[in-house]
Amino acid sequence: MNKYIMIMSTFDSMEELEKVSNILLEKRLVSCTQVSTIKSTYYWKGKLVTADEYLLRMKTKKELYSDVEKIILENHSYEVPQVVAYDISMGYSEYLKWINKETK
């Protein structure tokens, strides 16, 4: 069974993203975060929306997912924020050990 995951969430402000990222890092719920600027297009409440957003990628242990999700939801301004996780099925063993070491 895979032990590690990458969680992704989007934000409309860098300030909100940085707040969430810092909380997660300080609580040792994620080993690292990465930020990208993206353009998203989706239907919301019957309307097609295009928005500039910030994508936050977080690496952690699968067992910490619910704690990470809780922090994101408590600090996110979206009514229904994107919070999705992907299994890390393979990876450099030393990197995976580092994720393990840097999270609680």
Side-chain angles (χ1 to χ4, degrees), residues 53-101:
E53 293 184 300
Y54 301 98
L55 175 65
L56 179 63
R57 289 184 299 271
M58 303 151 271
K59 275 70 116 215
T60 190
K61 297 175 198 166
K62 189 177 278 190
E63 67 194 56
L64 296 175
Y65 174 83
S66 60
D67 295 328
V68 172
E69 180 186 82
K70 182 176 188 258
I71 296 294
I72 293 170
L73 295 178
E74 288 174 349
N75 293 280
H76 210 295
S77 61
Y78 288 0
E79 187 177 331
V80 182
Q82 170 188 308
V83 185
V84 296
Y86 301 91
D87 282 330
I88 298 175
S89 61
M90 295 174 56
Y92 176 50
S93 63
E94 294 303 310
Y95 183 77
L96 298 178
K97 287 178 192 174
W98 175 78
I99 292 174
N100 194 60
K101 179 179 170 261

Side-chain angles (χ1 to χ4, degrees), residues 9-94:
S9 187
T10 54
F11 297 82
D12 66 357
S13 84
M14 184 59 77
E15 294 76 23
E16 188 173 276
L17 179 148
E18 288 174 347
K19 177 184 175 187
V20 169
S21 176
N22 289 338
I23 292 169
L24 293 170
L25 288 163
E26 288 168 8
K27 291 183 177 282
R28 309 295 277 196
L29 294 173
V30 299
S31 61
C32 76
T33 62
Q34 298 169 313
V35 179
S36 300
T37 303
I38 61 171
K39 183 173 289 294
S40 298
T41 303
Y42 51 91
Y43 275 97
W44 181 246
K45 297 187 177 183
K47 294 182 181 178
L48 188 61
V49 177
T50 298
D52 292 325
E53 293 184 300
Y54 301 98
L55 175 65
L56 179 63
R57 289 184 299 271
M58 303 151 271
K59 275 70 116 215
T60 190
K61 297 175 198 166
K62 189 177 278 190
E63 67 194 56
L64 296 175
Y65 174 83
S66 60
D67 295 328
V68 172
E69 180 186 82
K70 182 176 188 258
I71 296 294
I72 293 170
L73 295 178
E74 288 174 349
N75 293 280
H76 210 295
S77 61
Y78 288 0
E79 187 177 331
V80 182
Q82 170 188 308
V83 185
V84 296
Y86 301 91
D87 282 330
I88 298 175
S89 61
M90 295 174 56
Y92 176 50
S93 63
E94 294 303 310

